[in-house]
Amino acid sequence: MLQVQDISVHYGMIQAVHGVSFEVKQGEIVSLIGANGAGKTTILRTISGLVRPSSGHILFEGKNIEKEAPQKIVASGLSQVPEGRHVFSGLTVQENLEMGAFLRKDSGVKEDYEQIFKKFPILKERRSQDASTLSGGEQQMLAMGRALMSKPKLLLLDEPSMGLAPIFIKEIFSIIQEIQAQGTTVLLIEQNAKMALSIANRGYVLETGKIVLEGTGQELLSSEAVKKAYLGG
């Protein structure tokens, strides 16, 4: 579904990503793990069209997208939940969800609101509340619901557990598995390596802008190098 081919990314003179290649197959959860500054968020932003690669190619369902505008990438079926959630303050929960459906032209939007409220019952309770007044966990659910309202084929998640209480982290990861089970492919970037790899079909380990390890989620969980670097082993 997604092929990232030898992409490099620069911020001015600084190279943040060095010839990274990986793929995401339809129906998978794929996790990218790595320390802060490893290039994880830059890679997601490049896939989403928010950052342009210096070189390399990105193919989504066989079509090159590295030069496409972000809104065209969303319209093609690829949606991102950004790090830090970034809900629209001053808009209600319902209005935030409406923003997620902005590009849709089909007639199934109303039914999809109900699906989101079924998946995230707390959002239904708070549908008329200003999004900025939600807790961190509730904002994360809203950001995920907003992205799902665009009906993505591939959902990009950037650090969904960041800053959340353990009870919310467990719930968020359970919802990610539910999203996959309902047919959406997931590319997950996450510092909580144990949680990310435990639900991943496959994973890649990034260090200083390069992929240094890859394997199934279980293979990486069992790797002595991963245990030592990311799992406290």
Side-chain angles (χ1 to χ4, degrees):
M1 179 175 270
L2 179 73
Q3 293 173 290
V4 174
Q5 300 176 339
D6 198 28
I7 65 162
S8 295
V9 183
H10 289 76
Y11 293 116
M13 298 294 289
I14 298 168
Q15 186 165 359
V17 177
H18 302 257
V20 163
S21 298
F22 65 91
E23 65 179 18
V24 180
K25 297 172 186 173
Q26 187 167 358
E28 287 188 311
I29 295 176
V30 172
S31 292
L32 294 182
I33 66 167
N36 262 341
K40 304 186 304 295
T41 292
T42 295
I43 289 170
L44 274 205
R45 286 172 61 81
T46 306
I47 294 167
S48 296
L50 300 170
V51 172
R52 295 292 178 211
S54 316
S55 59
H57 299 285
I58 301 166
L59 282 78
F60 180 55
E61 296 189 317
K63 296 176 184 174
N64 277 85
I65 62 167
E66 71 269 7
K67 294 180 181 175
E68 294 282 10
Q71 64 270 26
K72 287 191 87 173
I73 292 173
V74 172
S76 72
L78 191 155
S79 193
Q80 180 174 343
V81 179
E83 179 184 354
R85 301 176 275 280
H86 294 288
V87 298
F88 296 112
S89 61
L91 297 182
T92 65
V93 166
Q94 176 80 33
E95 288 166 340
N96 268 265
L97 293 175
E98 287 170 7
M99 292 298 286
F102 185 74
L103 292 175
R104 288 180 56 183
K105 303 287 192 286
D106 61 284
S107 59
V109 173
K110 190 174 179 183
E111 289 80 1
D112 287 334
Y113 286 132
E114 294 312 312
Q115 287 302 312
I116 296 300
F117 289 140
K118 195 173 176 183
K119 200 177 262 89
F120 305 104
I122 193 69
L123 299 184
K124 187 169 187 176
E125 289 177 33
R126 309 216 190 292
R127 67 194 301 169
S128 299
Q129 195 170 315
D130 188 315
S132 65
T133 65
L134 301 179
S135 72
E138 290 163 355
Q139 287 191 17
Q140 185 63 54
M141 291 177 189
L142 177 55
M144 290 170 70
R146 182 181 61 193
L148 289 171
M149 281 304 298
S150 71
K151 295 286 277 187
K153 300 170 188 173
L154 173 61
L155 183 65
L156 310 181
L157 291 165
D158 193 353
E159 302 284 8
S161 77
M162 182 180 283
L164 300 188
I167 189 167
F168 271 124
I169 292 174
K170 194 172 180 183
E171 189 170 356
I172 291 295
F173 276 87
S174 174
I175 290 165
I176 293 168
Q177 289 177 288
E178 188 183 319
I179 289 166
Q180 178 205 22
Q182 291 173 349
T184 302
T185 305
V186 178
L187 175 59
L188 170 65
I189 279 184
E190 181 56 63
Q191 276 192 310
N192 188 331
K194 188 171 184 178
M195 287 292 283
L197 293 175
S198 70
I199 67 167
N201 300 99
R202 294 185 304 107
Y204 298 86
V205 180
L206 275 167
E207 285 182 11
T208 58
K210 299 174 186 171
I211 288 175
V212 294
L213 274 175
E214 62 180 272
T216 67
Q218 288 306 309
E219 284 169 352
L220 292 177
L221 275 174
S222 304
S223 158
E224 289 305 317
V226 171
K227 283 182 185 176
K228 189 173 179 182
Y230 303 105
L231 307 178

